[in-house]
Amino acid sequence: MKNAIIIRYCEIHLKGKNRGFFEKLLKENIIKSLKGIQHNFTQMHSRYLIEDFLDEDYDIIIEKLKKIAGIHTVSKAIVVPNDFDDIFTACKELCAYKKGTFKVQTNRADKTFTPDSMQTSMLIGGKLLETYPNNLKVDVKNPEFTIWIDIREDKKTFIYTDVINCMSGMPVGSSGKGLLLLSGGIDSPVAGYMMCKRGMKLNCLHFHSYPYTNEAAKEKVIDLAKKIAEYNGGINLYVVSFTKIQEEIHKNCPEEFMITLMRRFMMRIAERLANQQHDQTIITGESLGQVASQTIESITSSNSVVTLPVLRPLIAFDKIDIINISRKIDTYETSILPYEDCCTVFLPKFPAIKPNLEKVIKAESRLNVEKLIDDAFLNVEKYVF
Ligand code: ATP
Ligand code: MG
């Protein structure tokens, strides 16, 4: 009798030729994530199996698997030979600390095994009731827990009670590469997570405004990047100084366009960096109407300076829904730390809510845009997590 972890993935993506690609990538991502943890990894048609791990590593492994896009559910199982007595012994052990209503559900792929599935479920259920008359009761319609018995052709039987939901989605690396504009706020880490879930491999870009923003603000973004890295199989974070650009806009352009113009610079810098490392898209945490810079007019203005597609996975999300996801992925507590972001310095009293593109371009013509961007690239810090 030994322990195993069964990993199931979402079959929906497995149509036709994609299947091999998907499975190979998911397998690589799992192996990479479990590096350094003792285990044995095998594939058994349309599932993966982890065996020979240390008991004390079980929780660590599950936490890692929960962060791998493409995994649908996992179960900790007991593995025994296809032998009725062994199966019962395992079920008895599984129920030793259980209380409540249950049913037994058997799946018998090994047709040489007797009795059949129905009888196995009934016999095991009956024997469990005899063993634990005070704790267990059968309820086949609405049980509090189910004992799954999976009798396989390769003469192994898997027995488990819990099915743990994981991320689902598609394996990271299956949907291209993108550059996430990562601020210290709540939204952009969530936007990054959502793209990882759809299989996109991310790099991050952060703008800081030292000395207007401090070292703690940067540390906060580093912490957020590390959190996203857990879903992304590692991450590169690029940090670019935005101070000079902000000072120039502030000095030369109408105050109302401060944020609009900043956004256009951010997009241009993001596009240049993305092109350098073959990222195919820019990702932001914008949500329609959330603030002045996220009206359709503002978005049109920032979009119009780049040709790469800009993905905004949160565009139709309410703040409360974004917060719920940020809690789930454990970025919320970091995001709400009260450090200044570059967007909060030089904040105009009355920002243009619906900036007129012609006026924006006219205001911008007072700046040497190309030179400012070239200068920004002179000092790019890179962190690898
Ligand atoms: P967030 O919670 O992600 O900070 P927000 O609601 O504060 O978003 P904005 O400040 O308007 O909204 O920023 C919109 C988007 O622009 C962010 O989601 C992020 O993708 C990008 N962004 C903002 N500030 C920065 C920054 N300092 N560095 C990199 N990207 C940024
Ligand atoms: Mg912000």
Side-chain angles (χ1 to χ4, degrees), residues 106-354:
T106 307
N107 173 32
R108 188 184 58 131
D110 174 12
K111 298 298 177 199
T112 65
F113 181 90
T114 51
D116 70 12
S117 338
M118 278 286 268
Q119 282 173 314
T120 303
S121 297
M122 275 166 53
L123 288 169
I124 298 276
K127 279 167 77 76
L128 284 172
L129 281 178
E130 276 170 31
T131 314
Y132 303 111
N134 299 325
N135 291 348
L136 298 183
K137 225 178 127 185
V138 170
D139 180 350
V140 286
K141 282 224 175 80
N142 200 12
E144 284 166 299
F145 69 95
T146 299
I147 300 167
W148 304 88
I149 301 176
D150 198 1
I151 305 169
R152 307 190 63 91
E153 275 171 319
D154 58 6
K155 304 297 171 196
K156 281 181 178 176
T157 297
F158 294 88
I159 301 152
Y160 55 92
T161 53
D162 295 323
V163 177
I164 302 166
N165 285 325
C166 296
M167 254 178 101
S168 293
M170 328 238 300
V172 166
S174 65
S175 303
K177 283 174 66 193
L179 181 62
L180 171 69
L181 284 179
L182 181 64
S183 71
I186 295 170
D187 305 327
S188 44
V190 173
Y193 163 80
M194 296 199 46
M195 296 314 294
C196 287
K197 187 167 147 73
R198 294 308 302 163
M200 185 163 269
K201 179 86 180 173
L202 302 182
N203 286 304
C204 294
L205 168 60
H206 175 69
F207 297 99
H208 73 88
S209 310
Y210 187 78
Y212 302 103
T213 59
N214 60 18
E215 200 57 31
K218 195 166 93 183
E219 285 302 320
K220 172 182 173 179
V221 172
I222 287 174
D223 286 347
L224 289 171
K226 284 181 183 166
K227 297 256 185 211
I228 303 169
E230 293 176 20
Y231 298 96
N232 192 54
I235 215 158
N236 296 331
L237 168 68
Y238 298 87
V239 180
V240 170
S241 171
F242 211 50
T243 314
K244 179 88 171 102
I245 292 172
Q246 283 177 292
E247 285 172 347
E248 286 298 306
I249 302 173
H250 187 64
K251 207 161 66 191
N252 297 298
C253 308
E255 187 186 309
E256 59 171 327
F257 293 136
M258 184 75 212
I259 295 176
T260 313
L261 293 173
M262 275 167 53
R263 286 262 168 271
R264 287 162 65 90
F265 274 95
M266 282 187 181
M267 284 296 180
R268 289 186 180 103
I269 292 171
E271 180 168 65
R272 192 187 286 187
L273 183 66
N275 285 333
Q276 282 173 6
Q277 57 201 5
H278 310 292
D279 290 329
Q280 298 152 290
T281 175
I282 297 164
I283 300 147
T284 79
E286 287 162 305
S287 158
L288 191 64
Q290 198 188 81
V291 287
S293 58
Q294 296 175 20
T295 59
I296 188 62
E297 291 80 2
S298 301
I299 288 172
T300 304
S301 150
S302 58
N303 240 30
S304 68
V305 295
V306 291
T307 49
L308 275 185
V310 181
L311 300 182
R312 300 175 172 87
L314 306 182
I315 196 70
F317 276 55
D318 291 343
K319 193 75 187 187
I320 185 73
D321 298 327
I322 299 171
I323 288 174
N324 285 338
I325 299 175
S326 81
R327 284 214 166 94
K328 192 178 88 180
I329 65 171
D330 196 30
T331 52
Y332 182 74
E333 296 300 332
T334 308
S335 289
I336 58 172
L337 293 173
Y339 303 120
E340 290 234 76
D341 178 53
C342 76
C343 296
T344 51
V345 294
F346 296 114
L347 203 64
K349 266 211 189 85
F350 301 105
I353 293 171
K354 299 183 174 187

Side-chain angles (χ1 to χ4, degrees), residues 2-66:
K2 62 178 190 172
N3 288 327
I5 295 170
I6 303 168
I7 300 174
R8 307 176 190 84
Y9 41 81
C10 328
E11 305 258 353
I12 196 155
H13 306 300
L14 295 183
K15 294 192 193 99
K17 279 183 265 169
N18 277 337
R19 187 183 183 109
F21 172 67
F22 178 102
E23 286 177 337
K24 182 169 170 283
L25 203 53
L26 184 57
K27 179 175 154 182
E28 284 169 6
N29 291 352
I30 295 171
I31 290 171
K32 191 174 162 198
S33 164
L34 298 183
K35 211 171 145 192
I37 300 174
Q38 181 190 312
H39 71 284
N40 186 19
F41 180 96
T42 48
Q43 182 157 8
M44 47 173 200
H45 34 271
S46 70
R47 283 166 188 207
Y48 297 119
L49 199 63
I50 295 179
E51 292 171 292
D52 305 325
F53 54 89
L54 302 173
D55 265 350
E56 65 256 35
D57 284 341
Y58 171 72
D59 289 335
I60 299 170
I61 295 175
I62 295 294
E63 279 317 300
K64 289 197 177 282
L65 297 177
K66 277 182 170 175

